[in-house]
Amino acid sequence: DLKARVAEAAALTGQTPHSFILDAIAEKAADVERRSKFAALADERLAQVAETGMTVAWEDVRRYLVDRVDGKKPRRPVGRKLR
């Protein structure tokens, strides 16, 4: 039963069941907000690609990111028109 599961999980984390439930709700709300912002950003960027026709090849982006992780200071990849 859910009530017993919540009580057991709360006890394992040193919380009251009420506090555990509030934390779970806050975590779920933050997840939904994060996903919503991500989707909005994706929609913005897709609209920008549709408007300008400019994209950056994945290979160029990957090389740029790998170089940055390696401590190099690469130039940002250049956008190109879609074919």
Side-chain angles (χ1 to χ4, degrees):
D1 141 80
L2 183 58
K3 188 174 181 179
R5 288 175 57 206
V6 168
E8 184 178 337
L12 290 171
T13 62
Q15 296 177 289
T16 64
H18 180 77
S19 177
F20 183 84
I21 290 168
L22 289 178
D23 283 351
I25 292 169
E27 186 177 313
K28 184 67 173 181
D31 185 46
V32 169
E33 291 165 352
R34 204 171 23 256
R35 287 174 183 260
S36 176
K37 286 179 185 176
F38 179 79
L41 179 60
D43 289 342
E44 274 180 40
R45 293 197 176 158
L46 181 59
Q48 185 179 18
V49 168
E51 182 180 319
T52 66
M54 300 295 285
T55 64
V56 178
W58 166 243
E59 295 81 18
D60 296 342
V61 173
R62 185 178 191 291
R63 188 176 323 107
Y64 171 77
L65 294 173
V66 168
D67 285 349
R68 294 240 357 231
V69 168
D70 288 343
K72 298 175 186 172
K73 295 186 188 240
R75 286 191 175 166
R76 292 182 73 172
V78 177
R80 293 187 171 84
K81 283 281 191 183
L82 283 172
R83 297 178 202 181

